[in-house]
Amino acid sequence: MIRTEADKQSDVTAKLEQIEQRLRWLSSWTIHNANNLRPKRDGLKVGGHQASCASMTAIMAALYFSALRPQDKVAVKPHAGPVLHAIHYLLGEQSRDKLERFRGLGGVQSYPSRTKDSIPVDFSTGSVGLGVAVTAFSSLVQDYLIAHGEMAEADAGRMIALMGDAELDEGNIYECLIEGYKHDLRNCWWIVDYNRQSLDATTADRMFRRFDDIFETCGWRVITLKYGKLQRAAFAKPGGKALQDWIENCPNADFAALTYLGGAAWRERLTQDIGAKRGVSSLLAAHDDVALARLMTNLGGHCIETLVEAFNRMDDECPTLLIAYTVKGYGLPLAGHKDNHSGMMNAAQIAGLRAELGIAEGDEWDRWAGLGDNLAAALQAFVDDSPIARKLRERGAAPVRLPDRLPVPDAAEQSTQAAFGKILFDLAKSDEPLGDRIVTTAPDVTQTTNLGAFVNQRGLFRRQELADVFQRAKIPSAQKWTAHQAGQHLELGIAENNFFLALAAFGLSASHFGSRLFPVGTVYDPFIARGLDALNYGCYQDARFLLVGTPSGITLAGEGGAHQSINTPLIGMGQPNLDSFEPAFADELALMMRWAFEHMQAPDGNSVYLRLTTRAISQEVRSSADWEDDAIRGAYWLRQPQPGAQAAIAYCGAVAPEAIAAWEALYEDFPGLGLLAVTSPDRLHRDWSAQCAARWNGQQRGPSHIDSLLGVLSPSAHMVTVLDGSPGALSWLGGVRGHRVSPLGTDRFGQTGDLPDLYRTYRIDTDAIIEAMAQLCLDDR
């Protein structure tokens, strides 16, 4: 017997429907097991989202086992994480043990995690909206690599986000849309699980038609899957047009409530509203209550055939928003209930679902329980032969050779921000492999953060060449920014969320695409806080980038309090997977930049943050390089104290001149006075914390770096700490060896003024350091 294409497709659809049921069961059972069967030592609810998983199972079955290609990458809706793990369980890539430990130590994470989960996870998700927008920037990274000859066009994959409709409330998605339009975004799908229920409410009815307008305006194709095959067939029958019109106009809240109440409630309401219309009563009478409930919830997002057809229509590079209507909790007793977001099936309900699927008690973890050996074997063969089973595994990239040292800009006085620009410019002019691998970006502050010279040399990245009109017209300008495919600067608008998501996407290039890039992003230091969630997101999934926050602190005197950063040293200390430095001198900066590029590509490395300033200061004359290793570890003695010294000054960053001047003024009164240059409060503190933890855990470990440095002082020594930032970044130094500390810094909003006035007002000038030391001595009497 010859099988037609229709026969083959019907067979595929049947298999996908079986897989969809299995994903719904495994995700539900994983959550049920964690909350109701696994012992709870703390008595707390483990959590999970059975209803949110159930609304996505058909979409994910059709996507993963029909539409996905090996090179495609997917960011999965956070609350559908258990479905992703169920998929990899069917593929043999996830273990039962980890599923049984869902949300437990060493088990499946609450939300998909690149660094914590053992299955392949393309993008971590958790903070809603970020996992959606990052796919657009990942697509731009792919285009960058293709344009630079690092990837073949034929190998381009689609960057796909599976999102809940509540994520459409996230502002960063629309910021991303604008940036994507400017950069001619392609190969990006955003698939919306449009179940019209969020944690607190049902989605506003009037918003739906606006999404089409917004996305189409930004160059996206919008496909809406509202009706499944059963509904479309019913609409073609007598009374069907009236039924379709009723569904079109049914408020979201009403639809959800009727779904929960079931077939009898649907019948009563439909009879009341449209029962008198021609053909409706016969149409309703042709369905019993079970069949009627099934018909009314046969939305496009639950119809495998409809989904597969839609994915086939999207087989090009056009960015596409697919809105799939679904029911939250589809196929579960929780379907449609307004409290189902965090709700869970009780023991009787999960037992009912198990019986409905023919799964025997005790076989809950069996991949194909209740299906019979032949069907189970056929389904496993189908899964094993799917393109997702041949997904390209992340392979990383070979290390890039770095110069032994980066050149130190030669100037008697200079700021760290200016030195940063000169170092990058030297790299741009060089033939070093590092220069070719750097890609820079900034949220509309390229010129004012000293990236301009690098961009002049290397150009802006655009897939279509764009000439500099001012240059062509021979109008003098310091910026000669030609845009072309070989360019190495990604020009961004002023949205900091986009900036950090772009850094995250470029910082994953080695893992995602096997080609190593060194993303370098500059941003006004106080505005790091505007994109802090996206910064945390990039660090969480181990993206590697160099973040440069500049100018910083009240040293940015004339700009006033809104532009003067205070807490960024604490952000640098508190953010995991981010090593922060605050150099004072150009040679410190060159050393740290070279270390950063090496650390960014190390297996145990991470991202690096430099806090820089526009204040030009006299450079330190070095007699040797003995200080360099200590500087990388976080601090070194700029002026070495005598053994048993009774006092020391510790400073960080821009206030180096004040600290040096105070040291010179106090040295005669405090013989052997030390001057400690703290280059990284972050690395110092983490090293000290590790020392403490090792001691508490009974492990053998030498003293921390700061312990060794301060060990030269007398146990009763006094210490003044000072920086242009929160004093808490250095005040902890007193806890290392019990020294008394007077911490100076800025802990309130700044204002406009010049440096002498502001440093005096906020007590970080030379006089404040001297007075603080004197007060420590007086307090000891």
Tab-separated table of all heavy atoms in Angstrom, residues 107-153:
chain	number	residue	atom	x	y	z
A	107	GLY	N	19.139	19.046	41.754
A	107	GLY	CA	18.106	18.600	40.831
A	107	GLY	C	17.810	19.630	39.759
A	107	GLY	O	18.536	20.617	39.579
A	108	VAL	N	16.730	19.389	39.026
A	108	VAL	CA	16.280	20.313	37.994
A	108	VAL	C	15.983	21.675	38.622
A	108	VAL	O	15.330	21.762	39.669
A	108	VAL	CB	15.020	19.742	37.306
A	108	VAL	CG1	14.319	20.810	36.485
A	108	VAL	CG2	15.392	18.548	36.439
A	109	GLN	N	16.479	22.731	37.995
A	109	GLN	CA	16.270	24.073	38.521
A	109	GLN	C	14.823	24.541	38.303
A	109	GLN	O	14.105	24.025	37.441
A	109	GLN	CB	17.229	25.056	37.849
A	109	GLN	CG	18.696	24.745	38.103
A	109	GLN	CD	19.057	24.863	39.565
A	109	GLN	OE1	18.970	25.923	40.163
A	109	GLN	NE2	19.478	23.746	40.161
A	110	SER	N	14.413	25.512	39.071
A	110	SER	CA	13.051	26.046	38.942
A	110	SER	C	12.790	26.561	37.535
A	110	SER	O	11.713	26.344	36.970
A	110	SER	CB	12.844	27.184	39.941
A	110	SER	OG	13.137	26.770	41.256
A	111	TYR	N	13.773	27.265	36.975
A	111	TYR	CA	13.664	27.842	35.637
A	111	TYR	C	14.903	27.442	34.845
A	111	TYR	O	15.975	27.261	35.419
A	111	TYR	CB	13.521	29.364	35.721
A	111	TYR	CG	12.468	29.796	36.709
A	111	TYR	CD1	12.795	30.571	37.826
A	111	TYR	CD2	11.148	29.406	36.538
A	111	TYR	CE1	11.827	30.933	38.743
A	111	TYR	CE2	10.172	29.774	37.454
A	111	TYR	CZ	10.507	30.542	38.554
A	111	TYR	OH	9.552	30.889	39.457
A	112	PRO	N	14.785	27.314	33.534
A	112	PRO	CA	15.919	26.826	32.738
A	112	PRO	C	17.193	27.628	33.000
A	112	PRO	O	17.191	28.860	32.960
A	112	PRO	CB	15.436	27.011	31.293
A	112	PRO	CG	13.946	26.913	31.384
A	112	PRO	CD	13.594	27.564	32.696
A	113	SER	N	18.286	26.924	33.259
A	113	SER	CA	19.542	27.574	33.626
A	113	SER	C	20.701	26.969	32.833
A	113	SER	O	20.923	25.760	32.880
A	113	SER	CB	19.809	27.411	35.124
A	113	SER	OG	21.122	27.843	35.453
A	114	ARG	N	21.441	27.813	32.152
A	114	ARG	CA	22.608	27.343	31.391
A	114	ARG	C	23.684	26.767	32.308
A	114	ARG	O	24.387	25.835	31.934
A	114	ARG	CB	23.225	28.511	30.606
A	114	ARG	CG	22.439	28.962	29.394
A	114	ARG	CD	23.142	30.130	28.695
A	114	ARG	NE	24.530	29.821	28.410
A	114	ARG	CZ	24.965	29.112	27.383
A	114	ARG	NH1	24.093	28.634	26.513
A	114	ARG	NH2	26.253	28.897	27.196
A	115	THR	N	23.821	27.340	33.477
A	115	THR	CA	24.942	26.977	34.337
A	115	THR	C	24.585	25.965	35.414
A	115	THR	O	25.476	25.302	35.944
A	115	THR	CB	25.520	28.235	35.015
A	115	THR	OG1	24.477	28.891	35.751
A	115	THR	CG2	26.071	29.203	33.982
A	116	LYS	N	23.316	25.838	35.752
A	116	LYS	CA	22.920	24.957	36.857
A	116	LYS	C	22.261	23.660	36.397
A	116	LYS	O	22.290	22.668	37.123
A	116	LYS	CB	21.956	25.691	37.796
A	116	LYS	CG	22.469	27.023	38.335
A	116	LYS	CD	23.687	26.861	39.220
A	116	LYS	CE	24.095	28.210	39.828
A	116	LYS	NZ	25.327	28.094	40.619
A	117	ASP	N	21.655	23.668	35.225
A	117	ASP	CA	21.001	22.462	34.722
A	117	ASP	C	21.987	21.628	33.909
A	117	ASP	O	22.914	22.165	33.286
A	117	ASP	CB	19.789	22.817	33.856
A	117	ASP	CG	18.559	23.146	34.692
A	117	ASP	OD1	18.314	22.423	35.671
A	117	ASP	OD2	17.853	24.126	34.363
A	118	SER	N	21.756	20.323	33.880
A	118	SER	CA	22.664	19.421	33.165
A	118	SER	C	22.258	19.214	31.712
A	118	SER	O	23.066	18.748	30.910
A	118	SER	CB	22.714	18.057	33.872
A	118	SER	OG	21.413	17.491	33.968
A	119	ILE	N	21.026	19.535	31.351
A	119	ILE	CA	20.601	19.390	29.956
A	119	ILE	C	21.097	20.602	29.160
A	119	ILE	O	21.484	21.627	29.736
A	119	ILE	CB	19.065	19.302	29.856
A	119	ILE	CG1	18.415	20.601	30.349
A	119	ILE	CG2	18.542	18.091	30.606
A	119	ILE	CD1	16.942	20.713	30.017
A	120	PRO	N	21.103	20.508	27.820
A	120	PRO	CA	21.471	21.688	27.030
A	120	PRO	C	20.416	22.785	27.197
A	120	PRO	O	19.239	22.566	26.908
A	120	PRO	CB	21.490	21.166	25.591
A	120	PRO	CG	21.544	19.680	25.696
A	120	PRO	CD	20.852	19.331	26.977
A	121	VAL	N	20.817	23.933	27.691
A	121	VAL	CA	19.935	25.099	27.817
A	121	VAL	C	20.570	26.229	27.028
A	121	VAL	O	21.688	26.653	27.329
A	121	VAL	CB	19.741	25.508	29.291
A	121	VAL	CG1	18.939	26.800	29.384
A	121	VAL	CG2	19.050	24.394	30.071
A	122	ASP	N	19.882	26.701	26.006
A	122	ASP	CA	20.445	27.743	25.149
A	122	ASP	C	20.512	29.087	25.855
A	122	ASP	O	21.517	29.794	25.782
A	122	ASP	CB	19.616	27.879	23.869
A	122	ASP	CG	19.637	26.619	23.024
A	122	ASP	OD1	20.701	25.976	22.952
A	122	ASP	OD2	18.585	26.268	22.442
A	123	PHE	N	19.421	29.457	26.500
A	123	PHE	CA	19.338	30.731	27.207
A	123	PHE	C	18.714	30.491	28.581
A	123	PHE	O	17.666	29.861	28.675
A	123	PHE	CB	18.458	31.736	26.447
A	123	PHE	CG	18.907	32.031	25.047
A	123	PHE	CD1	18.342	31.345	23.980
A	123	PHE	CD2	19.876	32.979	24.796
A	123	PHE	CE1	18.734	31.607	22.685
A	123	PHE	CE2	20.276	33.251	23.495
A	123	PHE	CZ	19.714	32.569	22.428
A	124	SER	N	19.344	30.997	29.610
A	124	SER	CA	18.693	30.983	30.913
A	124	SER	C	17.475	31.894	30.861
A	124	SER	O	17.474	32.913	30.169
A	124	SER	CB	19.654	31.482	31.995
A	124	SER	OG	20.770	30.637	32.118
A	125	THR	N	16.445	31.518	31.605
A	125	THR	CA	15.285	32.404	31.740
A	125	THR	C	14.863	32.422	33.201
A	125	THR	O	15.233	31.558	33.977
A	125	THR	CB	14.107	31.936	30.859
A	125	THR	OG1	13.840	30.556	31.109
A	125	THR	CG2	14.415	32.123	29.386
A	126	GLY	N	14.112	33.413	33.558
A	126	GLY	CA	13.684	33.555	34.944
A	126	GLY	C	13.016	34.899	35.126
A	126	GLY	O	11.827	34.978	35.384
A	127	SER	N	13.776	35.977	34.962
A	127	SER	CA	13.194	37.311	35.005
A	127	SER	C	12.490	37.539	33.675
A	127	SER	O	13.130	37.644	32.627
A	127	SER	CB	14.287	38.364	35.222
A	127	SER	OG	13.730	39.645	35.338
A	128	VAL	N	11.173	37.572	33.705
A	128	VAL	CA	10.408	37.537	32.462
A	128	VAL	C	10.732	38.728	31.565
A	128	VAL	O	11.004	39.832	32.030
A	128	VAL	CB	8.888	37.470	32.731
A	128	VAL	CG1	8.510	36.147	33.346
A	128	VAL	CG2	8.439	38.622	33.609
A	129	GLY	N	10.722	38.482	30.265
A	129	GLY	CA	11.015	39.496	29.262
A	129	GLY	C	12.449	39.463	28.784
A	129	GLY	O	12.715	39.659	27.604
A	130	LEU	N	13.408	39.212	29.683
A	130	LEU	CA	14.815	39.230	29.299
A	130	LEU	C	15.154	38.064	28.376
A	130	LEU	O	15.903	38.223	27.402
A	130	LEU	CB	15.704	39.201	30.537
A	130	LEU	CG	15.560	40.395	31.483
A	130	LEU	CD1	16.487	40.246	32.685
A	130	LEU	CD2	15.846	41.711	30.765
A	131	GLY	N	14.607	36.878	28.679
A	131	GLY	CA	14.865	35.728	27.830
A	131	GLY	C	14.254	35.874	26.453
A	131	GLY	O	14.678	35.204	25.507
A	132	VAL	N	13.258	36.737	26.333
A	132	VAL	CA	12.662	37.012	25.027
A	132	VAL	C	13.583	37.924	24.228
A	132	VAL	O	14.010	37.607	23.113
A	132	VAL	CB	11.275	37.664	25.190
A	132	VAL	CG1	10.683	38.019	23.830
A	132	VAL	CG2	10.342	36.747	25.967
A	133	ALA	N	13.935	39.056	24.807
A	133	ALA	CA	14.713	40.053	24.082
A	133	ALA	C	16.112	39.566	23.722
A	133	ALA	O	16.660	39.941	22.684
A	133	ALA	CB	14.794	41.335	24.911
A	134	VAL	N	16.705	38.729	24.562
A	134	VAL	CA	18.078	38.299	24.270
A	134	VAL	C	18.150	37.505	22.978
A	134	VAL	O	19.199	37.486	22.307
A	134	VAL	CB	18.656	37.483	25.448
A	134	VAL	CG1	18.094	36.069	25.478
A	134	VAL	CG2	20.181	37.452	25.392
A	135	THR	N	17.059	36.838	22.572
A	135	THR	CA	17.098	36.088	21.317
A	135	THR	C	17.302	37.015	20.123
A	135	THR	O	17.959	36.640	19.142
A	135	THR	CB	15.809	35.276	21.124
A	135	THR	OG1	14.673	36.151	21.148
A	135	THR	CG2	15.657	34.231	22.214
A	136	ALA	N	16.746	38.218	20.203
A	136	ALA	CA	16.944	39.175	19.116
A	136	ALA	C	18.410	39.580	19.025
A	136	ALA	O	18.987	39.662	17.936
A	136	ALA	CB	16.057	40.404	19.324
A	137	PHE	N	19.029	39.831	20.167
A	137	PHE	CA	20.437	40.217	20.148
A	137	PHE	C	21.330	39.047	19.755
A	137	PHE	O	22.363	39.225	19.109
A	137	PHE	CB	20.832	40.806	21.497
A	137	PHE	CG	20.236	42.156	21.737
A	137	PHE	CD1	19.138	42.316	22.574
A	137	PHE	CD2	20.735	43.274	21.087
A	137	PHE	CE1	18.561	43.552	22.767
A	137	PHE	CE2	20.159	44.525	21.275
A	137	PHE	CZ	19.078	44.662	22.116
A	138	SER	N	20.922	37.835	20.106
A	138	SER	CA	21.683	36.668	19.674
A	138	SER	C	21.628	36.531	18.157
A	138	SER	O	22.624	36.136	17.517
A	138	SER	CB	21.126	35.409	20.347
A	138	SER	OG	21.934	34.293	20.064
A	139	SER	N	20.506	36.877	17.566
A	139	SER	CA	20.405	36.861	16.111
A	139	SER	C	21.339	37.897	15.493
A	139	SER	O	21.965	37.650	14.451
A	139	SER	CB	18.960	37.126	15.689
A	139	SER	OG	18.818	37.059	14.289
A	140	LEU	N	21.465	39.061	16.133
A	140	LEU	CA	22.400	40.086	15.653
A	140	LEU	C	23.838	39.593	15.762
A	140	LEU	O	24.665	39.872	14.889
A	140	LEU	CB	22.212	41.382	16.435
A	140	LEU	CG	20.894	42.133	16.236
A	140	LEU	CD1	20.861	43.394	17.090
A	140	LEU	CD2	20.680	42.485	14.775
A	141	VAL	N	24.153	38.878	16.837
A	141	VAL	CA	25.486	38.308	16.986
A	141	VAL	C	25.766	37.336	15.842
A	141	VAL	O	26.855	37.323	15.254
A	141	VAL	CB	25.637	37.597	18.343
A	141	VAL	CG1	26.973	36.860	18.425
A	141	VAL	CG2	25.525	38.601	19.484
A	142	GLN	N	24.783	36.521	15.529
A	142	GLN	CA	24.934	35.575	14.427
A	142	GLN	C	25.211	36.307	13.119
A	142	GLN	O	26.096	35.916	12.346
A	142	GLN	CB	23.662	34.730	14.323
A	142	GLN	CG	23.710	33.664	13.264
A	142	GLN	CD	22.479	32.767	13.315
A	142	GLN	OE1	22.571	31.603	13.647
A	142	GLN	NE2	21.327	33.317	12.989
A	143	ASP	N	24.489	37.387	12.874
A	143	ASP	CA	24.728	38.186	11.668
A	143	ASP	C	26.134	38.785	11.678
A	143	ASP	O	26.791	38.867	10.629
A	143	ASP	CB	23.693	39.305	11.557
A	143	ASP	CG	22.352	38.802	11.039
A	143	ASP	OD1	22.314	37.704	10.455
A	143	ASP	OD2	21.345	39.512	11.225
A	144	TYR	N	26.583	39.220	12.844
A	144	TYR	CA	27.933	39.780	12.973
A	144	TYR	C	28.969	38.732	12.578
A	144	TYR	O	29.913	39.012	11.821
A	144	TYR	CB	28.146	40.248	14.413
A	144	TYR	CG	29.490	40.879	14.697
A	144	TYR	CD1	29.660	42.256	14.638
A	144	TYR	CD2	30.590	40.098	15.035
A	144	TYR	CE1	30.891	42.843	14.908
A	144	TYR	CE2	31.825	40.667	15.301
A	144	TYR	CZ	31.966	42.039	15.240
A	144	TYR	OH	33.197	42.613	15.511
A	145	LEU	N	28.796	37.520	13.077
A	145	LEU	CA	29.768	36.460	12.791
A	145	LEU	C	29.729	36.060	11.322
A	145	LEU	O	30.777	35.791	10.712
A	145	LEU	CB	29.486	35.251	13.678
A	145	LEU	CG	29.721	35.476	15.179
A	145	LEU	CD1	29.236	34.266	15.976
A	145	LEU	CD2	31.188	35.756	15.474
A	146	ILE	N	28.549	36.038	10.729
A	146	ILE	CA	28.444	35.740	9.294
A	146	ILE	C	29.151	36.815	8.485
A	146	ILE	O	29.930	36.525	7.569
A	146	ILE	CB	26.964	35.618	8.883
A	146	ILE	CG1	26.345	34.357	9.497
A	146	ILE	CG2	26.814	35.594	7.360
A	146	ILE	CD1	24.837	34.269	9.347
A	147	ALA	N	28.917	38.075	8.835
A	147	ALA	CA	29.532	39.184	8.106
A	147	ALA	C	31.047	39.189	8.241
A	147	ALA	O	31.762	39.612	7.329
A	147	ALA	CB	28.962	40.513	8.601
A	148	HIS	N	31.559	38.705	9.372
A	148	HIS	CA	33.007	38.690	9.605
A	148	HIS	C	33.658	37.368	9.186
A	148	HIS	O	34.816	37.101	9.521
A	148	HIS	CB	33.304	38.977	11.077
A	148	HIS	CG	33.154	40.419	11.448
A	148	HIS	ND1	31.914	41.012	11.614
A	148	HIS	CD2	34.065	41.404	11.670
A	148	HIS	CE1	32.079	42.280	11.930
A	148	HIS	NE2	33.365	42.553	11.961
A	149	GLY	N	32.907	36.529	8.473
A	149	GLY	CA	33.469	35.293	7.961
A	149	GLY	C	33.665	34.208	8.985
A	149	GLY	O	34.379	33.224	8.737
A	150	GLU	N	33.014	34.325	10.151
A	150	GLU	CA	33.154	33.336	11.210
A	150	GLU	C	32.088	32.250	11.144
A	150	GLU	O	32.183	31.246	11.840
A	150	GLU	CB	33.081	34.032	12.576
A	150	GLU	CG	34.251	34.942	12.879
A	150	GLU	CD	35.548	34.177	13.068
A	150	GLU	OE1	35.552	33.196	13.833
A	150	GLU	OE2	36.552	34.552	12.444
A	151	MET	N	31.063	32.473	10.327
A	151	MET	CA	29.981	31.504	10.155
A	151	MET	C	29.538	31.521	8.702
A	151	MET	O	29.610	32.558	8.033
A	151	MET	CB	28.759	31.863	11.014
A	151	MET	CG	28.730	31.349	12.418
A	151	MET	SD	27.140	31.744	13.189
A	151	MET	CE	26.056	30.628	12.292
A	152	ALA	N	29.071	30.380	8.224
A	152	ALA	CA	28.471	30.322	6.897
A	152	ALA	C	26.998	30.705	6.982
A	152	ALA	O	26.317	30.366	7.954
A	152	ALA	CB	28.613	28.922	6.316
A	153	GLU	N	26.521	31.417	5.981
A	153	GLU	CA	25.117	31.819	5.954
A	153	GLU	C	24.202	30.605	6.066
A	153	GLU	O	23.154	30.653	6.731
A	153	GLU	CB	24.826	32.565	4.653
A	153	GLU	CG	23.401	33.063	4.507
A	153	GLU	CD	23.101	34.285	5.351
A	153	GLU	OE1	23.872	35.255	5.296
A	153	GLU	OE2	22.081	34.255	6.069
